[in-house]
Amino acid sequence: MKITLINFFIILSLISFTHASVVDFCVADYTAPNGPAGYSCKKPSKVTVDDFVYHGLSISGNTSNIINAAVSPAFDAQFPGVNGLGISIARLDLAVDGVIPLHTHPGASEILVVVQGTICAGFVASDNTVYLKTLKKGDIMVFPQGLLHFQVNGGGSTALAFVSFSSANPGLQILDFALFKSDFPTPLIVQTTFIDAAVVKKLKGVLGGSG
Ligand SMILES: *[C@@H]1O[C@H](CO)[C@@H](O)[C@H](O)[C@H]1NC(C)=O
């Protein structure tokens, strides 16, 4: 009987601990360091509705750049309310000839919705099957986590899309930037990619890489 009672209290305390650890949200506290699990939580008494609202995607990104495109993220680093929720969103502006170069998000799957214009999008699966589609306004496409993918403007006018992610911090690694905007030594790039040194040097010149 005594043991049963003790067990009962242990179970009770476990239940109350479980409940104590449940929080509605964990708005990012940018004054504390960021870790693999995201930002620390802001004190609930300091949280306001503005932590859950983000205005940064209401204006088009600046596409006057080498890719004629802009990615405006609303990840946990920009939008404190998504911290800890496993979701985030970004805006893609693609001018005519705009390209979001081949890239991966190591930490998230992505879903894209075309709001304006035409976008040709695709990804390459682990078995090297290439999945490609030209998407029109209202179309959506999903890009599985970690796979290389791209989006390019598929028409003669500006295109706009929103992409959401299954992480508050999906990460972004652009293949061309990893190779040609870094200090990755050229001989090793040639050796590991089989791309001619002249081409590597040319692309490093364009993108600002060294080595
Ligand atoms: C867009 O970016 C270009 C290149 O950095 C810059 O010259 C231009 O002023 C920017 N335009 C706006 C509207 O910010």
Side-chain angles (χ1 to χ4, degrees):
M1 181 64 193
K2 212 174 180 182
I3 291 166
T4 313
L5 207 63
I6 288 165
N7 283 346
F8 176 75
F9 280 113
I10 289 170
I11 290 164
L12 205 68
S13 67
L14 280 176
I15 289 168
S16 63
F17 274 131
T18 310
H19 279 208
S21 70
V22 170
V23 293
D24 286 344
F25 47 74
C26 175
V27 169
D29 176 1
Y30 295 133
T31 66
N34 192 4
Y39 292 91
S40 303
C41 310
K42 204 168 159 178
K43 260 196 202 144
S45 61
K46 302 264 187 216
V47 170
T48 72
V49 65
D50 290 330
D51 289 313
F52 302 108
V53 176
Y54 186 69
H55 301 289
L57 306 193
S58 60
I59 48 162
S60 43
N62 187 342
T63 57
S64 301
N65 53 49
I66 193 170
I67 59 172
N68 297 307
V71 180
S72 310
F75 300 163
D76 57 4
Q78 294 81 28
F79 185 14
V82 296
N83 186 56
L85 298 185
I87 55 169
S88 60
I89 188 163
R91 172 182 174 133
L92 301 187
D93 288 283
L94 292 158
V96 175
D97 297 330
V99 178
I100 309 293
L102 211 51
H103 64 280
T104 81
H105 306 285
S109 293
E110 169 180 336
I111 192 159
L112 172 145
V113 56
V114 180
V115 172
Q116 183 191 318
T118 304
I119 291 176
C120 174
F123 67 86
V124 186
S126 297
D127 68 358
N128 300 319
T129 305
V130 180
Y131 296 90
L132 285 178
K133 197 75 180 176
T134 297
L135 308 168
K136 295 191 164 37
K137 181 177 173 176
D139 288 342
I140 64 172
M141 182 166 177
V142 70
F143 306 90
Q145 180 166 347
L147 300 183
L148 282 166
H149 61 282
F150 67 87
Q151 289 99 14
V152 303
N153 192 325
S157 63
T158 299
L160 169 64
F162 288 89
V163 283
S164 57
F165 297 92
S166 59
S167 166
N169 183 9
L172 168 62
Q173 184 168 44
I174 298 175
L175 183 58
D176 274 8
F177 291 3
L179 293 171
F180 310 120
K181 204 182 175 178
S182 68
D183 62 359
F184 200 155
T186 298
L188 275 174
I189 297 179
V190 170
Q191 199 176 358
T192 57
T193 65
F194 308 101
I195 298 172
D196 284 351
V199 175
V200 172
K201 282 175 187 156
K202 182 185 156 199
L203 288 167
K204 280 189 170 179
V206 171
L207 294 176
S210 59

